[in-house]
Amino acid sequence: MGMCATVICVGPFTPEVAQYLEYSPEYYAGTRPGAIVVSQLFDCCFMGSNISRGFAECLGITNAMDFNQHVLRRSAVDLPKLREYLATISHGDEYLKDADALERMLDLGWLLIFMPNG
């Protein structure tokens, strides 16, 4: 079985961040600012071990199965490289919005965790 990677996101809700979360913004209409919410980015789009490892490298992870590296650090994530990488994979353009969300969540100090599956 190949690896399928995703990013789990945990952080305080703000109306500004609603556009980046997993559900449509209207689902968050009653969510109070500061409530801790969980979301997911790049939901299983990186099917296959080679693609998932390339994705991990863009996130600053040198070994996708080294659990010590799974918490993303803003200083290690290479957003231009990630956007370039997305352009090279099938349907990667569909995940550019997730790259934007990743950038904003990192800037807001959210806990972002690389999660390989497989």
Side-chain angles (χ1 to χ4, degrees):
M1 177 168 123
M3 183 188 311
C4 174
T6 189
V7 174
I8 304 299
C9 314
V10 181
F13 176 80
T14 63
E16 171 203 356
V17 82
Q19 66 182 316
Y20 300 118
L21 299 176
E22 199 163 355
Y23 303 107
S24 298
E26 60 267 14
Y27 285 101
Y28 298 96
T31 306
R32 65 177 162 65
I36 300 300
V37 293
V38 178
S39 194
Q40 188 170 310
L41 298 174
F42 307 99
D43 185 18
C44 291
C45 69
F46 300 105
M47 295 291 189
S49 297
N50 290 338
I51 292 174
S52 291
R53 285 188 181 95
F55 174 56
E57 288 176 16
C58 296
L59 301 177
I61 298 169
T62 58
N63 177 349
M65 295 310 294
D66 179 355
F67 297 99
N68 297 301
Q69 298 183 43
H70 287 183
V71 173
L72 304 186
R73 294 171 302 136
R74 180 68 174 96
S75 62
V77 173
D78 189 336
L79 288 161
K81 181 178 177 180
L82 174 60
R83 288 184 174 97
E84 288 174 17
Y85 185 71
L86 291 171
T88 69
I89 62 173
S90 179
H91 304 288
D93 58 324
E94 297 172 16
Y95 297 96
L96 289 173
K97 63 179 176 41
D98 283 0
D100 294 340
L102 180 82
E103 179 175 24
R104 189 64 188 129
M105 289 174 174
L106 284 167
D107 288 346
L108 291 170
W110 278 47
L111 175 63
L112 302 179
I113 304 166
F114 174 79
M115 187 172 137
N117 183 6

